[in-house]
Amino acid sequence: MDETLRLQPAMVSRKLLVLTFIRAYVHRWNGSPSIAEIAQGIGASRTRVQAALRALEQEEKIIRRPGARGIMLPDRLQEAVRDLRAAGFVVDEDIVRGPFPILPLTPELDYDPG
């Protein structure tokens, strides 16, 4: 376990430790950690990490999507939307609130050659 992520007096709960780990992971790797990586990183069981993630999601400190690496930080999402708008993209406001749609694996074409 990384000594800098050990439970400190300021970190009074596992939730805060999990959130701190997620923020550090996203900052370093620019992506979401898996539950197993969080558990290994903070020295806790997957069950305890999952409970902390549920609590963090209810408090809206994280956003969860389906998939192994579906943890997002709300501030990072807002930052991404701002960057897209600044680049000239039109962003649908519904993506900020979710639920996140599952895109089809193959594109659907509406071209009729006849």
Side-chain angles (χ1 to χ4, degrees):
M1 178 159 101
D2 186 353
E3 293 300 317
T4 61
L5 294 177
R6 283 192 163 270
L7 197 56
Q8 303 291 321
M11 296 178 182
V12 295
S13 71
R14 188 167 284 108
K15 283 189 316 188
L16 187 54
L17 186 60
V18 168
L19 185 59
T20 301
F21 181 89
I22 293 169
R23 288 189 183 282
Y25 189 99
V26 168
H27 179 72
R28 180 173 182 185
W29 299 105
N30 201 27
S32 171
S34 67
I35 293 174
E37 288 170 328
I38 298 169
Q40 182 180 10
I42 67 169
S45 71
R46 291 172 54 101
T47 303
R48 291 187 187 266
V49 168
Q50 288 172 332
L53 289 172
R54 279 191 298 274
L56 288 167
E57 185 177 22
Q58 286 177 346
E59 295 173 9
E60 298 181 354
K61 298 202 187 244
I62 62 169
I63 299 169
R64 294 184 73 187
R65 297 186 309 183
R69 298 183 181 275
I71 301 169
M72 295 178 62
L73 298 169
D75 53 336
R76 297 276 299 193
L77 181 59
Q78 293 296 335
E79 182 180 314
V81 169
R82 273 194 311 277
D83 290 347
L84 286 170
R85 285 186 176 137
F89 289 90
V90 176
V91 180
D92 185 349
E93 287 296 326
D94 292 337
I95 67 160
V96 176
R97 292 185 288 281
F100 297 93
I102 305 299
L103 299 176
L105 295 177
T106 56
E108 294 180 22
L109 302 176
D110 62 354
Y111 173 73
D112 183 11

